[in-house]
């Protein structure tokens, strides 16, 4: 009896824990074949993120080639340091500086979408993260985030999104969907900002596994080959067996 009670208590407790730990994520619905979206994402990333975060598995010119941007355009529009187009996307800031400025050094974002969850979870997390900064005066940068409690990163896209406050902080702790209200407007409408967050997420998923673009492009050709090969082998079979019957 005692064992059963303990087991029951543990089961209900773990249920409680998982309910408390459950985060509400919005669906990113990214499209890796959408080159225009990837290009916009690259622009946002190099403008707003690369001064703190690196993506050091990626070279500028590889990115340019994959996304259909020429080396010259990459150099003119996407490189803001004295890096060359063949360089890796690194930052000038040292880990020590990062740690002393922000408490935690800004991590490399090369594989962040996969680090945040398998399948589409990583993308959903990123998309939700970019849209979930809210005013919190108790934090060093005046903001907090519903999917990253006490985040050490400022809301770097506030000029685009504007600032919002969280209306249901207590419910969100127990897994409710956050409700926000704008306290100041940014240069983008809500829809425009959602698109920007999706483009940025799309770009980071691409950076995490650049060969995905190739694979996606290869798929239809592989299928076409299989169909073609089916007819070839069928004709061959007919040829071989025609004298047997
Ligand atoms: C001013 C410096 C700075 C800028 C600019 C910046 N970040 Fe950050 N970012 C940080 C810091 C510091 C952290 C670590 C926060 C922590 O661990 O509390 C972080 C954390 C993150 C994380 C979570 C990483 C993890 O391991 O959980 C993501 C994702 C992220 N940043 C994405 C971005 C993107 C995308 C941009 C551009 C739109 C950007 N950041 C711009 C400083 C910055």
């Amino acid at each position: 009896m005692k064992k059963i009670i303990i087991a029951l208590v543990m089961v209900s407790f773990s249920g409680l824990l998982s309910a408390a730990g459950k985060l509400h994520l919005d669906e990113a619905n990214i499209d890796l074949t959408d080159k225009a979206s990837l290009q916009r994402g690259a622009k946002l990333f190099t403008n707003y993120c690369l001064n703190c975060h690196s993506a050091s598995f990626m070279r500028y010119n590889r990115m340019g080639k994959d996304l259909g941007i020429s080396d010259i355009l990459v150099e003119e529009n996407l490189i803001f340091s004295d890096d060359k187009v063949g360089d890796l996307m690194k930052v000038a800031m040292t880990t020590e500086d990062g740690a002393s400025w922000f408490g935690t050094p800004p991590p490399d974002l090369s594989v962040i979408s996969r680090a945040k969850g398998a399948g589409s979870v990583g993308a959903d997390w990123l998309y939700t993260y970019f849209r979930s900064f809210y005013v919190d005066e108790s934090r060093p940068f005046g903001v907090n985030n519903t999917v990253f409690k006490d985040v050490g990163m400022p809301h770097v896209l506030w000029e685009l999104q504007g600032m919002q406050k969280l209306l249901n902080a207590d419910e969100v702790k127990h897994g409710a969907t956050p409700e926000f209200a704008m306290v100041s407007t940014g240069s983008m409408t809500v829809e425009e900002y959602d698109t920007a967050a999706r483009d940025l997420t799309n770009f980071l998923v691409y950076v995490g596994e650049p060969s995905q673009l190739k694979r996606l492009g290869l798929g239809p050709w592989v299928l076409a080959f299989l169909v073609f090969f089916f007819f070839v082998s069928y004709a061959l079979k007919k040829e071989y067996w025609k004298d047997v019957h």
Side-chain angles (χ1 to χ4, degrees), residues 44-45 48-49 51-53 93 102 104-107 109 112 116 125-126 129-130 148 150-154 156-157 200 204:
L44 287 167
F45 183 78
Y48 291 100
C49 320
N51 35 359
C52 288
H53 295 278
M93 182 167 58
F102 303 105
T104 331
L109 295 181
I112 189 69
K116 286 299 175 188
W125 188 91
L126 287 170
Y129 175 66
F130 300 141
F148 196 141
D150 296 344
V151 65
M153 172 173 140
V156 297
L157 299 174
L200 198 51
L204 287 172

Side-chain angles (χ1 to χ4, degrees), residues 121-167:
V121 177
D124 292 348
W125 188 91
L126 287 170
Y127 177 65
T128 312
Y129 175 66
F130 300 141
R131 294 159 61 257
S132 300
F133 283 90
Y134 66 92
V135 178
D136 180 351
E137 301 301 344
S138 71
R139 301 293 308 151
F141 293 108
V143 287
N144 213 322
N145 193 295
T146 53
V147 293
F148 196 141
K149 192 177 168 328
D150 296 344
V151 65
M153 172 173 140
H155 184 17
V156 297
L157 299 174
W158 69 275
E159 280 171 319
L160 308 181
Q161 185 189 22
M163 274 295 189
Q164 56 189 6
K165 63 179 180 199
L166 183 62
L167 299 174

